[in-house]
Amino acid sequence: MQCCGVYPDNFTYSFLLKACNSLSLVQMVHAHVEKLGFYGDIFVPNALIDSYCKFGCVGIRAGMKLFMVMEERDVVSWNSMIGGLVKNGELDDACKLFDEMPKRDMVSWNTMLDGYAKAGEMNKAFGLFERMPERNVISWSTMVWGYSKAGDMAMARMLFDKCPMKNLIIWTTIISGYAEKGIVKEATVLYDKMEEVGLKPDDGFLISILAACAESGMLGLGKRIHASIRRCRFRCSTKVLNAFIDMYAKCGCLDAAFGVFSGMSRRDLVSWNSMIHGLGIHGHGEKALKLFSRMVHEGFEPDKYTFIGLLCACTHAGLINEGRNYFYAMEKVYGIVPQVEHYGCMIDLLGRGGLLEEAFGLLRNMPMEPNVVVLGTLLGACRMHNDVDLAKAVCEHLFKLAPSDPGNFSLMSNIYAQAGDWVNVANIRKQMKSTGGQKPSGASSIEVEEEVHEFTVFDQSHPKSNDIYEMIDRLVQDLRQVGYVPKAYI
DNA sequence: ATAGGGTTAG
């Protein structure tokens, strides 16, 4: 290009930088700009900063270096740099730059709001929000999103109601907030209201809400949305249909999930992965493996998610040999290097199957450091099979990684209790007190006729509590008859 | 340069 005497302009660099999918490519473009000895206008270094910031800490440092040597900076230079820091979680540094800025615009404020909201620091976010000279719908929806993720639906709702310029995105945020928490009534009422003001769901809306339904098990709302978009003849994209598959599968409606899957004219890898995983988590191991063969037969290349689904399916169906084979095949046949998640699946598979030695061996031979999840999985398997010695070894690692996680303390204390080692139970209790941790009770929820019922252990708050416990007793007796020995923990 | 969104091991 240059041999012809033509020099790149802003747009050339813009396209070039957009195409850079690695740090070294950005560096090459940067070197080229330097060599030409001119940056054009400020657009080029700004675009360079932005591209650098996409590549983690190293990229940010390179971006910062450029930012520091720039002779002239405009508000976009500052915003790009702050945005990069915020995306990487370096909020303190972002805040410093924000304070130093000679002039801030709405984007600067919104970027900082987003950073605090993503970090769950809603007090700080609210402080900024109140100090902003003016706010747009992005400022409002960032606040609604942050409060909703922090679990404060009252604040989220107050801000949503106060927002003077509601668009589809802020409606999506508040409705999926309610849906995620299983608050069906509000979610449904707002969904109807949204249609009343003339807003129609788009892909982003449907995907958000369906993902929220999948998480909280709100089958009712998911079905309602399905019916409503059928009424208005919404043409569902593959992504939306995938969200339906996942929602139905997570809610236990495998037939409905498979119905959506079968009816799709165009499936992508995510469709297959969601369906395989859905079958897997509900114990349909054989069906999941068959679907995998069909997928390969139809020419799809499996990815790391496919193997997580497959290994999960093997675990839930007790298919130890099959799981081992897939684990080794994923690298040898499909060229996918197992990640810590895959090792986690394998350790769960082996551990639940009682092959604790093999599970422990795999843990030690992992090419990466085990994380809390992997160790917790193995500890759970130790409890299941009453292996106190191995549990102690695992716990030593675990306490180093997550010294104050109350979940691990209670798991370990249960293991000691089961072995009758009351001295160590008392020790653990003491440690728990000193770190101040009490394990929050896990809760299950179920939706019956548009109402969500939540249960925790020893819960007696439900109006039909007595009936429920009577039913549990009966179930436990039935289970005993077929050989199951229930365990009660302290 | 800023807001919602699909599959991810316990």
Side-chain angles (χ1 to χ4, degrees):
Chain A
M1 179 170 150
Q2 280 170 53
C3 296
C4 304
V6 181
Y7 283 88
D9 64 358
N10 289 349
F11 294 102
T12 320
Y13 283 121
S14 168
F15 281 114
L16 217 48
L17 284 169
K18 254 185 211 140
C20 289
N21 53 11
S22 76
L23 185 58
S24 51
L25 285 173
V26 182
Q27 281 165 336
M28 270 170 63
V29 177
H30 189 178
H32 189 265
V33 173
E34 294 262 341
K35 210 173 76 189
L36 279 186
F38 88 115
Y39 278 107
D41 63 41
I42 197 162
F43 178 92
V44 176
N46 283 351
L48 271 168
I49 291 178
D50 196 44
S51 297
Y52 268 130
C53 286
K54 276 188 261 174
F55 300 102
C57 298
V58 188
I60 286 180
R61 248 179 288 140
M64 188 62 108
K65 221 169 125 190
L66 174 58
F67 178 79
M68 298 307 265
V69 300
M70 279 166 73
E71 281 164 23
E72 219 186 310
R73 302 177 193 113
D74 65 0
V75 67
V76 179
S77 332
W78 288 88
N79 287 346
S80 298
M81 205 54 242
I82 292 174
L85 290 165
V86 159
K87 278 224 169 61
N88 212 39
E90 298 178 33
L91 271 176
D92 293 339
D93 290 341
C95 191
K96 250 184 242 159
L97 280 190
F98 180 77
D99 287 337
E100 283 171 25
M101 277 180 88
K103 215 176 122 202
R104 302 175 191 103
D105 66 1
M106 186 98 78
V107 177
S108 332
W109 288 91
N110 285 345
T111 305
M112 286 309 296
L113 278 190
D114 187 47
Y116 285 126
K118 293 246 153 71
E121 303 216 40
M122 288 317 289
N123 288 338
K124 287 191 180 160
F126 193 72
L128 280 186
F129 184 73
E130 286 202 305
R131 276 170 39 214
M132 284 176 80
E134 48 176 352
R135 308 169 186 98
N136 64 7
V137 66
I138 297 183
S139 332
W140 288 93
S141 49
T142 302
M143 292 303 288
V144 171
W145 185 90
Y147 276 117
S148 153
K149 278 286 175 288
D152 188 346
M153 287 315 287
M155 274 302 276
R157 180 56 182 272
M158 196 200 83
L159 286 158
F160 172 79
D161 286 338
K162 273 196 173 172
C163 172
M165 58 305 238
K166 298 185 186 68
N167 64 4
L168 186 54
I169 294 186
I170 194 166
W171 280 96
T172 306
T173 309
I174 189 77
I175 297 175
S176 63
Y178 281 121
E180 230 167 64
K181 280 148 205 75
I183 306 171
V184 199
K185 256 222 172 76
E186 285 305 325
T188 316
V189 169
L190 282 177
Y191 181 56
D192 291 340
K193 263 194 197 158
M194 184 185 104
E195 292 198 318
E196 263 170 46
V197 300
L199 285 170
K200 295 246 177 293
D202 68 350
D203 268 31
F205 176 86
L206 292 169
I207 292 166
S208 292
I209 309 295
L210 290 172
C213 291
E215 194 179 319
S216 61
M218 280 181 44
L219 179 62
L221 184 61
K223 274 185 173 168
R224 200 192 170 96
I225 287 169
H226 210 167
S228 133
I229 61 171
R230 276 203 187 112
R231 262 200 312 275
C232 68
R233 289 194 215 93
F234 184 87
R235 261 188 57 86
C236 286
S237 64
T238 302
K239 284 183 180 182
V240 171
L241 291 172
N242 291 345
F244 272 115
I245 294 176
D246 186 51
M247 185 276 295
Y248 279 126
K250 293 252 168 73
C251 292
C253 292
L254 287 172
D255 290 339
F258 203 74
V260 175
F261 179 82
S262 311
M264 287 170 81
S265 52
R266 229 189 240 166
R267 295 182 199 109
D268 64 10
L269 190 55
V270 178
S271 327
W272 290 93
N273 288 351
S274 305
M275 198 61 232
I276 289 171
H277 190 250
L279 287 167
I281 54 175
H282 291 290
H284 301 281
E286 303 280 354
K287 281 188 193 163
L289 304 194
K290 265 198 196 131
L291 198 63
F292 173 71
S293 325
R294 215 183 110 193
M295 166 187 148
V296 174
H297 190 249
E298 291 192 19
F300 284 90
E301 273 290 314
D303 66 357
K304 58 176 189 170
Y305 301 112
T306 319
F307 283 97
I308 287 172
L310 275 176
L311 293 174
C312 192
C314 292
T315 300
H316 287 269
L319 304 169
I320 295 181
N321 288 329
E322 287 83 349
R324 257 199 221 106
N325 291 339
Y326 283 118
F327 185 70
Y328 291 111
M330 67 181 279
E331 186 161 9
K332 295 239 155 53
V333 182
Y334 298 99
I336 300 160
V337 180
Q339 298 179 327
V340 66
E341 290 91 340
H342 300 103
Y343 281 94
C345 288
M346 274 312 283
I347 287 167
D348 192 30
L349 172 72
L350 297 167
R352 279 175 197 265
L355 302 172
L356 288 172
E357 287 290 319
E358 195 181 336
F360 194 51
L362 193 61
L363 180 94
R364 273 184 307 202
N365 289 324
M366 277 167 61
M368 66 290 276
E369 284 297 312
N371 60 18
V372 180
V373 178
V374 175
L375 292 170
T377 304
L378 189 53
L379 192 56
C382 292
R383 183 181 72 172
M384 192 182 278
H385 297 285
N386 298 324
D387 191 329
V388 184
D389 292 333
L390 184 53
K392 278 187 199 163
V394 174
C395 263
E396 270 173 36
H397 288 282
L398 203 46
F399 288 163
K400 262 181 239 154
L401 271 184
S404 58
D405 184 342
N408 296 329
F409 277 119
S410 77
L411 207 51
M412 195 59 216
S413 111
N414 282 330
I415 289 168
Y416 281 129
Q418 218 166 306
D421 186 344
W422 302 106
V423 177
N424 271 316
V425 170
N427 276 340
I428 298 254
R429 288 270 138 145
K430 231 184 268 167
Q431 285 186 59
M432 273 171 97
K433 259 194 191 150
S434 68
T435 50
Q438 266 283 314
K439 186 182 181 299
S441 315
S444 306
S445 59
I446 184 169
E447 185 193 341
V448 182
E449 287 162 8
E450 300 219 343
E451 208 178 319
V452 173
H453 306 257
E454 195 178 77
F455 300 87
T456 59
V457 70
F458 301 137
D459 198 339
Q460 295 194 357
S461 59
H462 196 275
K464 290 195 171 184
S465 189
N466 285 338
D467 294 347
I468 292 167
Y469 280 107
E470 220 167 86
M471 177 57 90
I472 293 174
D473 281 342
R474 238 188 296 161
L475 285 172
V476 168
Q477 271 166 29
D478 288 351
L479 282 166
R480 268 187 223 273
Q481 282 193 344
V482 293
Y484 172 76
V485 186
K487 292 173 192 164
Y489 296 110
I490 51 167

Short mmCIF file of all heavy atoms in Angstrom, two decimals, chain A residues 159-195:
data_model
loop_
_atom_site.label_atom_id
_atom_site.label_comp_id
_atom_site.label_asym_id
_atom_site.label_seq_id
_atom_site.Cartn_x
_atom_site.Cartn_y
_atom_site.Cartn_z
N LEU A 159 -35.60 3.03 41.72
CA LEU A 159 -34.90 3.75 40.66
C LEU A 159 -35.58 3.52 39.31
O LEU A 159 -35.69 4.43 38.49
CB LEU A 159 -33.43 3.34 40.61
CG LEU A 159 -32.63 3.92 41.77
CD1 LEU A 159 -31.37 3.11 42.03
CD2 LEU A 159 -32.27 5.37 41.48
N PHE A 160 -36.03 2.29 39.10
CA PHE A 160 -36.73 1.99 37.84
C PHE A 160 -37.97 2.88 37.72
O PHE A 160 -38.21 3.48 36.67
CB PHE A 160 -37.13 0.51 37.79
CG PHE A 160 -38.01 0.17 36.62
CD1 PHE A 160 -37.46 -0.01 35.36
CD2 PHE A 160 -39.38 0.06 36.78
CE1 PHE A 160 -38.29 -0.30 34.27
CE2 PHE A 160 -40.20 -0.22 35.71
CZ PHE A 160 -39.66 -0.41 34.45
N ASP A 161 -38.75 2.95 38.81
CA ASP A 161 -39.98 3.76 38.77
C ASP A 161 -39.66 5.23 38.53
O ASP A 161 -40.41 5.93 37.85
CB ASP A 161 -40.76 3.59 40.08
CG ASP A 161 -41.45 2.22 40.13
OD1 ASP A 161 -41.66 1.62 39.06
OD2 ASP A 161 -41.77 1.75 41.25
N LYS A 162 -38.55 5.69 39.11
CA LYS A 162 -38.21 7.12 38.99
C LYS A 162 -37.63 7.48 37.62
O LYS A 162 -37.65 8.65 37.24
CB LYS A 162 -37.17 7.49 40.05
CG LYS A 162 -37.79 7.89 41.37
CD LYS A 162 -36.76 8.62 42.22
CE LYS A 162 -37.38 9.19 43.48
NZ LYS A 162 -36.36 9.72 44.38
N CYS A 163 -37.09 6.48 36.92
CA CYS A 163 -36.40 6.77 35.64
C CYS A 163 -37.38 7.41 34.65
O CYS A 163 -38.42 6.84 34.35
CB CYS A 163 -35.83 5.48 35.05
SG CYS A 163 -35.19 5.70 33.40
N PRO A 164 -37.04 8.61 34.17
CA PRO A 164 -37.98 9.33 33.32
C PRO A 164 -37.96 8.92 31.84
O PRO A 164 -38.78 9.39 31.08
CB PRO A 164 -37.54 10.79 33.48
CG PRO A 164 -36.09 10.72 33.83
CD PRO A 164 -35.83 9.40 34.47
N MET A 165 -37.01 8.08 31.43
CA MET A 165 -36.92 7.74 30.00
C MET A 165 -36.67 6.25 29.82
O MET A 165 -35.60 5.85 29.42
CB MET A 165 -35.84 8.59 29.30
CG MET A 165 -34.41 8.56 29.79
SD MET A 165 -33.99 8.93 31.46
CE MET A 165 -32.86 10.31 31.27
N LYS A 166 -37.68 5.44 30.10
CA LYS A 166 -37.48 3.99 30.09
C LYS A 166 -37.43 3.44 28.67
O LYS A 166 -38.29 3.73 27.86
CB LYS A 166 -38.61 3.30 30.84
CG LYS A 166 -38.70 3.67 32.31
CD LYS A 166 -39.79 2.85 32.99
CE LYS A 166 -40.03 3.27 34.41
NZ LYS A 166 -40.62 4.61 34.55
N ASN A 167 -36.42 2.62 28.41
CA ASN A 167 -36.37 1.91 27.13
C ASN A 167 -36.43 0.40 27.39
O ASN A 167 -36.56 -0.05 28.53
CB ASN A 167 -35.12 2.31 26.33
CG ASN A 167 -33.84 1.89 27.04
OD1 ASN A 167 -33.88 1.23 28.08
ND2 ASN A 167 -32.71 2.26 26.48
N LEU A 168 -36.32 -0.36 26.31
CA LEU A 168 -36.45 -1.82 26.44
C LEU A 168 -35.39 -2.40 27.38
O LEU A 168 -35.65 -3.35 28.12
CB LEU A 168 -36.35 -2.44 25.04
CG LEU A 168 -36.60 -3.94 24.94
CD1 LEU A 168 -37.94 -4.31 25.57
CD2 LEU A 168 -36.56 -4.39 23.50
N ILE A 169 -34.19 -1.83 27.35
CA ILE A 169 -33.11 -2.42 28.15
C ILE A 169 -33.38 -2.29 29.65
O ILE A 169 -33.18 -3.23 30.42
CB ILE A 169 -31.76 -1.79 27.77
CG1 ILE A 169 -31.42 -2.18 26.33
CG2 ILE A 169 -30.65 -2.26 28.71
CD1 ILE A 169 -30.07 -1.76 25.86
N ILE A 170 -33.88 -1.14 30.08
CA ILE A 170 -34.11 -0.99 31.52
C ILE A 170 -35.30 -1.85 31.96
O ILE A 170 -35.30 -2.42 33.05
CB ILE A 170 -34.24 0.50 31.93
CG1 ILE A 170 -34.12 0.61 33.46
CG2 ILE A 170 -35.52 1.13 31.44
CD1 ILE A 170 -33.91 2.02 33.94
N TRP A 171 -36.27 -2.03 31.08
CA TRP A 171 -37.36 -2.98 31.37
C TRP A 171 -36.80 -4.39 31.50
O TRP A 171 -37.14 -5.14 32.41
CB TRP A 171 -38.42 -2.95 30.27
CG TRP A 171 -39.40 -1.81 30.36
CD1 TRP A 171 -39.32 -0.63 29.71
CD2 TRP A 171 -40.61 -1.78 31.13
NE1 TRP A 171 -40.41 0.16 30.04
CE2 TRP A 171 -41.22 -0.52 30.91
CE3 TRP A 171 -41.24 -2.68 32.00
CZ2 TRP A 171 -42.41 -0.13 31.50
CZ3 TRP A 171 -42.43 -2.30 32.60
CH2 TRP A 171 -43.00 -1.04 32.35
N THR A 172 -35.93 -4.76 30.58
CA THR A 172 -35.29 -6.08 30.63
C THR A 172 -34.58 -6.28 31.97
O THR A 172 -34.70 -7.32 32.61
CB THR A 172 -34.25 -6.21 29.51
OG1 THR A 172 -34.86 -5.90 28.27
CG2 THR A 172 -33.65 -7.60 29.47
N THR A 173 -33.84 -5.24 32.38
CA THR A 173 -33.04 -5.34 33.59
C THR A 173 -33.91 -5.58 34.82
O THR A 173 -33.63 -6.48 35.62
CB THR A 173 -32.22 -4.05 33.77
OG1 THR A 173 -31.53 -3.77 32.57
CG2 THR A 173 -31.23 -4.20 34.90
N ILE A 174 -34.98 -4.80 34.96
CA ILE A 174 -35.79 -4.94 36.16
C ILE A 174 -36.57 -6.26 36.14
O ILE A 174 -36.65 -6.98 37.14
CB ILE A 174 -36.73 -3.73 36.37
CG1 ILE A 174 -37.41 -3.79 37.74
CG2 ILE A 174 -37.79 -3.60 35.30
CD1 ILE A 174 -36.55 -3.40 38.88
N ILE A 175 -37.10 -6.64 34.98
CA ILE A 175 -37.90 -7.88 34.92
C ILE A 175 -37.01 -9.10 35.15
O ILE A 175 -37.36 -10.00 35.91
CB ILE A 175 -38.66 -8.00 33.58
CG1 ILE A 175 -39.67 -6.85 33.46
CG2 ILE A 175 -39.40 -9.33 33.49
CD1 ILE A 175 -40.39 -6.80 32.14
N SER A 176 -35.83 -9.12 34.53
CA SER A 176 -34.99 -10.31 34.75
C SER A 176 -34.46 -10.32 36.18
O SER A 176 -34.18 -11.38 36.73
CB SER A 176 -33.87 -10.40 33.72
OG SER A 176 -33.01 -9.31 33.83
N GLY A 177 -34.34 -9.12 36.79
CA GLY A 177 -33.97 -9.07 38.21
C GLY A 177 -34.98 -9.81 39.07
O GLY A 177 -34.63 -10.64 39.90
N TYR A 178 -36.27 -9.51 38.86
CA TYR A 178 -37.31 -10.21 39.61
C TYR A 178 -37.32 -11.70 39.26
O TYR A 178 -37.46 -12.55 40.13
CB TYR A 178 -38.68 -9.59 39.31
CG TYR A 178 -38.96 -8.31 40.05
CD1 TYR A 178 -39.24 -7.12 39.39
CD2 TYR A 178 -38.96 -8.29 41.46
CE1 TYR A 178 -39.50 -5.94 40.08
CE2 TYR A 178 -39.22 -7.12 42.15
CZ TYR A 178 -39.49 -5.95 41.46
OH TYR A 178 -39.75 -4.79 42.15
N ALA A 179 -37.17 -12.00 37.98
CA ALA A 179 -37.23 -13.40 37.55
C ALA A 179 -36.10 -14.22 38.16
O ALA A 179 -36.30 -15.35 38.59
CB ALA A 179 -37.18 -13.48 36.03
N GLU A 180 -34.91 -13.62 38.24
CA GLU A 180 -33.76 -14.32 38.80
C GLU A 180 -33.99 -14.70 40.26
O GLU A 180 -33.49 -15.70 40.74
CB GLU A 180 -32.56 -13.38 38.75
CG GLU A 180 -31.32 -13.97 38.14
CD GLU A 180 -30.33 -12.86 37.87
OE1 GLU A 180 -29.87 -12.23 38.83
OE2 GLU A 180 -30.04 -12.61 36.69
N LYS A 181 -34.73 -13.85 40.96
CA LYS A 181 -34.98 -14.11 42.37
C LYS A 181 -36.26 -14.89 42.61
O LYS A 181 -36.66 -15.10 43.75
CB LYS A 181 -35.00 -12.78 43.12
CG LYS A 181 -33.60 -12.30 43.38
CD LYS A 181 -33.47 -10.81 43.38
CE LYS A 181 -32.07 -10.39 43.04
NZ LYS A 181 -31.74 -10.54 41.59
N GLY A 182 -36.90 -15.29 41.52
CA GLY A 182 -38.10 -16.10 41.68
C GLY A 182 -39.32 -15.31 42.12
O GLY A 182 -40.28 -15.87 42.62
N ILE A 183 -39.28 -13.98 41.93
CA ILE A 183 -40.44 -13.17 42.31
C ILE A 183 -41.35 -13.07 41.09
O ILE A 183 -41.31 -12.12 40.32
CB ILE A 183 -39.98 -11.78 42.80
CG1 ILE A 183 -38.95 -11.95 43.92
CG2 ILE A 183 -41.17 -10.96 43.29
CD1 ILE A 183 -38.26 -10.67 44.34
N VAL A 184 -42.17 -14.11 40.93
CA VAL A 184 -42.96 -14.27 39.71
C VAL A 184 -43.96 -13.15 39.50
O VAL A 184 -44.13 -12.65 38.40
CB VAL A 184 -43.78 -15.58 39.77
CG1 VAL A 184 -44.22 -15.98 38.38
CG2 VAL A 184 -43.00 -16.67 40.42
N LYS A 185 -44.63 -12.81 40.61
CA LYS A 185 -45.74 -11.84 40.49
C LYS A 185 -45.26 -10.55 39.87
O LYS A 185 -45.82 -10.08 38.88
CB LYS A 185 -46.33 -11.57 41.88
CG LYS A 185 -47.64 -12.27 42.09
CD LYS A 185 -48.67 -11.39 42.80
CE LYS A 185 -50.00 -12.10 42.78
NZ LYS A 185 -50.03 -13.20 43.79
N GLU A 186 -44.24 -9.94 40.47
CA GLU A 186 -43.75 -8.66 39.97
C GLU A 186 -43.25 -8.80 38.54
O GLU A 186 -43.48 -7.94 37.70
CB GLU A 186 -42.62 -8.13 40.86
CG GLU A 186 -43.10 -7.56 42.18
CD GLU A 186 -44.15 -6.47 42.00
OE1 GLU A 186 -44.06 -5.71 41.02
OE2 GLU A 186 -45.06 -6.40 42.84
N ALA A 187 -42.53 -9.90 38.27
CA ALA A 187 -41.99 -10.11 36.92
C ALA A 187 -43.14 -10.14 35.91
O ALA A 187 -43.07 -9.51 34.86
CB ALA A 187 -41.19 -11.40 36.87
N THR A 188 -44.20 -10.86 36.26
CA THR A 188 -45.32 -11.01 35.32
C THR A 188 -46.08 -9.70 35.14
O THR A 188 -46.40 -9.31 34.02
CB THR A 188 -46.29 -12.08 35.86
OG1 THR A 188 -45.52 -13.18 36.32
CG2 THR A 188 -47.22 -12.55 34.77
N VAL A 189 -46.33 -9.02 36.27
CA VAL A 189 -47.06 -7.75 36.20
C VAL A 189 -46.29 -6.75 35.33
O VAL A 189 -46.87 -6.07 34.47
CB VAL A 189 -47.26 -7.18 37.62
CG1 VAL A 189 -47.76 -5.74 37.56
CG2 VAL A 189 -48.24 -8.04 38.40
N LEU A 190 -44.96 -6.68 35.55
CA LEU A 190 -44.16 -5.72 34.79
C LEU A 190 -44.10 -6.11 33.32
O LEU A 190 -44.09 -5.25 32.43
CB LEU A 190 -42.75 -5.63 35.37
CG LEU A 190 -42.63 -4.79 36.63
CD1 LEU A 190 -41.20 -4.84 37.16
CD2 LEU A 190 -43.01 -3.34 36.35
N TYR A 191 -44.05 -7.41 33.05
CA TYR A 191 -44.02 -7.89 31.66
C TYR A 191 -45.28 -7.42 30.93
O TYR A 191 -45.21 -6.91 29.82
CB TYR A 191 -43.90 -9.41 31.65
CG TYR A 191 -43.84 -10.02 30.28
CD1 TYR A 191 -42.88 -9.62 29.37
CD2 TYR A 191 -44.74 -11.01 29.91
CE1 TYR A 191 -42.82 -10.17 28.11
CE2 TYR A 191 -44.69 -11.58 28.66
CZ TYR A 191 -43.74 -11.16 27.76
OH TYR A 191 -43.68 -11.71 26.51
N ASP A 192 -46.43 -7.56 31.60
CA ASP A 192 -47.68 -7.09 30.99
C ASP A 192 -47.66 -5.59 30.80
O ASP A 192 -48.08 -5.07 29.76
CB ASP A 192 -48.87 -7.50 31.87
CG ASP A 192 -49.08 -9.01 31.85
OD1 ASP A 192 -48.59 -9.65 30.90
OD2 ASP A 192 -49.71 -9.54 32.78
N LYS A 193 -47.15 -4.87 31.82
CA LYS A 193 -47.11 -3.40 31.73
C LYS A 193 -46.23 -2.96 30.57
O LYS A 193 -46.54 -1.99 29.88
CB LYS A 193 -46.53 -2.82 33.03
CG LYS A 193 -47.59 -2.36 34.00
CD LYS A 193 -46.94 -1.51 35.08
CE LYS A 193 -47.88 -1.38 36.26
NZ LYS A 193 -47.18 -1.03 37.49
N MET A 194 -45.13 -3.68 30.39
CA MET A 194 -44.21 -3.31 29.32
C MET A 194 -44.91 -3.43 27.96
O MET A 194 -44.76 -2.57 27.09
CB MET A 194 -43.00 -4.23 29.36
CG MET A 194 -41.94 -3.88 28.35
SD MET A 194 -40.61 -5.07 28.36
CE MET A 194 -41.00 -5.99 26.89
N GLU A 195 -45.68 -4.50 27.81
CA GLU A 195 -46.41 -4.65 26.54
C GLU A 195 -47.46 -3.56 26.40
O GLU A 195 -47.71 -3.07 25.31
CB GLU A 195 -47.03 -6.04 26.47
CG GLU A 195 -45.95 -7.12 26.35
CD GLU A 195 -46.49 -8.45 25.86
OE1 GLU A 195 -47.59 -8.84 26.33
OE2 GLU A 195 -45.82 -9.09 25.03
#
